[in-house]
Amino acid sequence: NYPKRASMRKLVGLCKSTLSDVNNKQEIIALIDRYNVEMDSNHVDEIVEQLPIVMEKCKSNLDVIDFDDMPWLPVVLNMKCEKFDYLFVDEFQDTNYAQNELAIMLSGDDRNITVVADDDQSIYRFRGAAVSNVLQFKKNFPDAKIVTLSYHRV
């Protein structure tokens, strides 16, 4: 029995946000144990072996960049900005200074960027998140259209 999709998503997210080397099998297994990721013990070795390959394929096939994806940041910085027609950043309130500068750079000359942010929900300050990125967005992108949602439906 392979792990449920939710378990794999959880594992990928944990690897992206906590590991500097997604090829370190011992650290991945430690994450599975520490965060109780549901996995059939018969498949752990195979999943750990394939995880970096799967993560890399997802990134290249989709042509997307996850700002939380620090293991691939050197690859991102070597990409030509013209590669992206549009840039979308979710949870922009949780970006740090370097990630904000990267967003500005990747938006290119066309400045085709969309961000989603809630300045009341910045929770990653301990990782360097700067809510000032949200507050200064209009300064960095003066032609941007700001859409404010005043009602959140759950």
Side-chain angles (χ1 to χ4, degrees):
N1 249 350
Y2 263 67
K4 296 177 184 173
R5 193 174 289 202
S7 295
M8 282 304 294
R9 268 191 243 126
K10 180 178 180 179
L11 180 59
V12 167
L14 287 167
C15 289
K16 289 189 324 182
S17 63
T18 61
L19 299 181
S20 60
D21 179 10
V22 294
N23 293 301
N24 188 323
K25 294 179 184 181
Q26 291 80 13
E27 287 188 26
I28 295 171
I29 291 170
L31 282 177
I32 292 170
D33 292 338
R34 187 176 327 132
Y35 292 98
N36 298 319
V37 179
E38 287 184 40
M39 276 212 196
D40 181 350
S41 58
N42 296 328
H43 295 292
V44 169
D45 287 338
E46 182 181 352
I47 289 164
V48 168
E49 179 93 17
Q50 293 296 316
L51 188 65
I53 298 164
V54 169
M55 290 171 71
E56 188 63 32
K57 278 186 181 180
C58 288
K59 305 217 46 76
S60 62
N61 288 345
L62 297 175
D63 273 343
V64 296
I65 294 171
D66 183 345
F67 276 117
D68 205 26
D69 218 354
M70 292 303 156
W72 288 280
L73 194 54
V75 173
V76 172
L77 293 174
N78 288 325
M79 288 180 177
K80 293 183 178 180
C81 294
E82 299 88 34
K83 180 173 181 163
F84 303 103
D85 294 327
Y86 303 96
L87 181 65
F88 178 81
V89 183
D90 194 12
E91 303 293 346
F92 190 67
Q93 75 276 0
D94 292 327
T95 58
N96 61 34
Y97 175 79
Q99 293 164 334
N100 185 51
E101 292 299 310
L102 182 62
I104 293 168
M105 181 188 83
L106 289 176
S107 69
D109 295 334
D110 294 333
R111 313 290 269 181
N112 287 332
I113 185 169
T114 300
V115 302
V116 177
D118 184 344
D119 56 353
D120 289 333
Q121 292 191 12
S122 184
I123 60 171
Y124 289 105
R125 194 166 156 201
F126 70 95
R127 283 182 21 196
V131 75
S132 60
N133 293 340
V134 174
L135 304 175
Q136 294 178 350
F137 182 79
K138 191 68 172 168
K139 178 182 159 209
N140 293 325
F141 298 93
D143 295 331
K145 179 180 177 186
I146 307 296
V147 178
T148 305
L149 303 177
S150 57
Y151 178 72
H152 182 91
R153 194 170 170 178
V154 180

